[in-house]
Amino acid sequence: MLEESFQEQIDAERKIEPKDWMPDDYRKHLIRQMSQHAHSEVIGMQPEGNWITRAPSLRAKMILLAKVQDEAGHGLYLYSATETLGISREELVQQLHEEKAKYSSIFNYPTLSWADMGAIGWLVDGAAIVNQVSLQRTSYGPYSRAMVKICKEESFHQRQGYEIMAEMAKGTAEQKEMAQDALNRFWWPSIMMFGPQDSDSPRTGNAMKWKIKRQTNDELRQSFIDKTVGQAEVIGLTIPDPDLKWNEDRGHYDFGEMNWEEFWSVVNGNGPCNKQRLAHHKKAHDDGEWVRNAAKEYARKQELLLN
Ligand code: BYC
């Protein structure tokens, strides 16, 4: 009975709010996806943080700093939204540290040159927007509202990355080569961000039934590829996929086979930077313990004063 009226509410496009009744599996599914999304935002600060001190101009440095701070903010909205489901931030961070919770595979690749800041903004944030615009219509109210604000900031991120790539592509031959090299290294990992193919995605069935996901992994991946091919052409860079070609019948680009072995290896903790990313997060968390303790103590004293 409760399940039926829950599903009716979903089917009628009414948002589920924290105090509404929801099936336990819906709650668990959301905690998993939203917390992994939050962890991705926070771990995603590392590859870009690597270049803040080496940005080529004051303007570039200010923009990159602002972008990385935005990612921290996105993490906070998403952790707060996840906490409305009855789990604490401490537990969520613990799950990350114990490798029970994942974060996006893309952040396990190294950032080797300044052009990588361009490739990340253009491709990684570009892919994130395609996914998150779709998630604005997700069925859980707090997640959906967090997405609206996040998408506004992601558009600025995508543009700053595309600007870096465009500038480098029309610079010296060496700069153009750096931009092309960054595109070569980040293209495939970026399209892997959308997850396994639909036929291999165990979570998609429930996610679509409960309207947590509004489009499947393959639909979103195709939409990102269709948008991005023209952008590469405009700045004179070549997407590293010989099978990429317009398919008149489908009205979409056909593209080559992804390296699924590489994808699962990165997802399962064995990518080029998995160990480094997690170790850095744990160290920052430990180093910040005194701040959390001070904040707790301050809150305790304020409460004593009020009572
Ligand atoms: N990386 O059944 P599936 C950003 C896991 S953007 C790692 O398809 P689902 C940012 C998946 O979790 C990035 N793991 O699952 C941008 C599942 O394992 P579990 C963050 C992946 O959930 C720029 C298993 O594989 N965005 O933050 O239906 C700068 C089977 O997959 C990946 C989001 O998180 C992957 N790429 O679909 C800074 C968006 N793909 O959990 C920051 C929200 C799959 O069962 N999330 N797996 O152990 C989603 O839309 C969905 O969760 C996914 C996966 C499309 C990612």
Side-chain angles (χ1 to χ4, degrees):
M1 188 60 199
L2 280 170
E3 289 235 31
E4 265 169 39
S5 74
F6 168 81
Q7 190 62 46
E8 273 165 25
Q9 192 162 332
I10 301 265
D11 294 341
E13 299 286 339
R14 283 195 296 272
K15 298 281 178 233
I16 305 298
E17 295 298 338
K19 288 186 176 155
D20 293 344
W21 184 89
M22 60 185 86
D24 213 33
D25 285 345
Y26 176 83
R27 186 185 297 277
K28 283 192 193 135
H29 193 115
L30 278 172
I31 291 176
R32 177 195 62 87
Q33 176 168 327
M34 291 166 65
S35 66
Q36 294 189 168
H37 197 162
H39 299 324
S40 304
E41 297 284 355
V42 171
I43 297 273
M45 293 161 72
Q46 292 186 40
E48 292 179 300
N50 186 31
W51 280 90
I52 291 173
T53 54
R54 290 176 287 170
S57 69
L58 187 57
R59 177 181 179 272
K61 183 171 181 151
M62 279 161 51
I63 294 173
L64 186 59
L65 261 175
K67 178 182 190 292
V68 173
Q69 282 179 350
D70 283 351
E71 313 298 358
H74 298 175
L76 286 182
Y77 311 149
L78 284 163
Y79 282 127
S80 302
T82 315
E83 284 183 299
T84 65
L85 291 157
I87 186 162
S88 69
R89 180 120 26 124
E90 286 74 19
E91 283 172 273
L92 297 172
V93 171
Q94 195 178 342
Q95 287 174 0
L96 172 70
H97 288 174
E98 289 171 357
E99 299 183 50
K100 288 182 187 148
K102 299 183 166 72
Y103 59 88
S104 182
S105 50
I106 188 71
F107 303 118
N108 292 308
Y109 291 85
T111 44
L112 305 178
S113 83
W114 173 252
D116 291 7
M117 298 304 97
I120 289 184
W122 174 33
L123 303 173
V124 176
D125 288 84
I129 296 174
V130 169
N131 174 285
Q132 291 170 163
V133 162
S134 183
L135 285 173
Q136 287 178 349
R137 292 171 51 241
T138 193
S139 57
Y140 187 55
Y143 193 20
S144 157
R145 291 188 286 275
M147 284 300 114
V148 174
K149 186 152 186 346
I150 289 177
C151 281
K152 289 192 179 134
E153 292 170 351
E154 298 286 25
S155 327
F156 147 65
H157 298 172
Q158 194 270 354
R159 290 181 73 93
Q160 68 85 34
Y162 191 58
E163 184 191 80
I164 294 174
M165 290 303 256
E167 288 295 316
M168 292 187 81
K170 67 174 190 234
T172 62
E174 203 185 359
Q175 285 169 326
K176 183 167 184 182
E177 207 177 298
M178 280 168 73
Q180 182 62 53
D181 174 61
L183 171 56
N184 292 349
R185 283 181 290 106
F186 276 94
W187 174 254
W188 292 102
S190 298
I191 64 173
M192 287 176 189
M193 282 171 70
F194 294 96
Q197 285 170 304
D198 295 347
S199 52
D200 259 341
S201 163
R203 303 287 192 181
T204 293
N206 277 341
M208 296 295 283
K209 180 177 93 181
W210 290 325
K211 298 190 197 288
I212 292 175
K213 270 182 179 177
R214 304 305 306 244
Q215 286 165 287
T216 68
N217 299 357
D218 285 334
E219 284 166 356
L220 291 169
R221 185 172 10 252
Q222 182 73 61
S223 158
F224 169 72
I225 291 172
D226 290 349
K227 281 187 176 64
T228 311
V229 174
Q231 295 170 1
E233 278 166 13
V234 168
I235 58 176
L237 296 180
T238 308
I239 291 181
D241 179 357
D243 296 324
L244 193 66
K245 59 171 182 301
W246 180 251
N247 182 324
E248 199 61 54
D249 295 340
R250 292 202 310 121
H252 291 292
Y253 280 91
D254 288 338
F255 53 95
E257 184 67 21
M258 277 162 282
N259 182 343
W260 293 114
E261 212 174 298
E262 173 182 324
F263 171 76
W264 289 115
S265 158
V266 177
V267 168
N268 291 321
N270 301 312
C273 299
N274 294 59
K275 308 250 169 336
Q276 177 188 333
R277 299 288 185 242
L278 206 57
H280 185 89
H281 192 281
K282 282 181 185 160
K283 181 175 184 307
H285 190 70
D286 290 346
D287 290 350
E289 194 179 356
W290 70 271
V291 182
R292 292 190 298 279
N293 288 341
K296 267 188 214 147
E297 186 58 16
Y298 177 76
R300 194 182 67 82
K301 289 218 169 109
Q302 289 298 100
E303 206 159 309
L304 283 178
L305 279 177
L306 285 175
N307 292 330

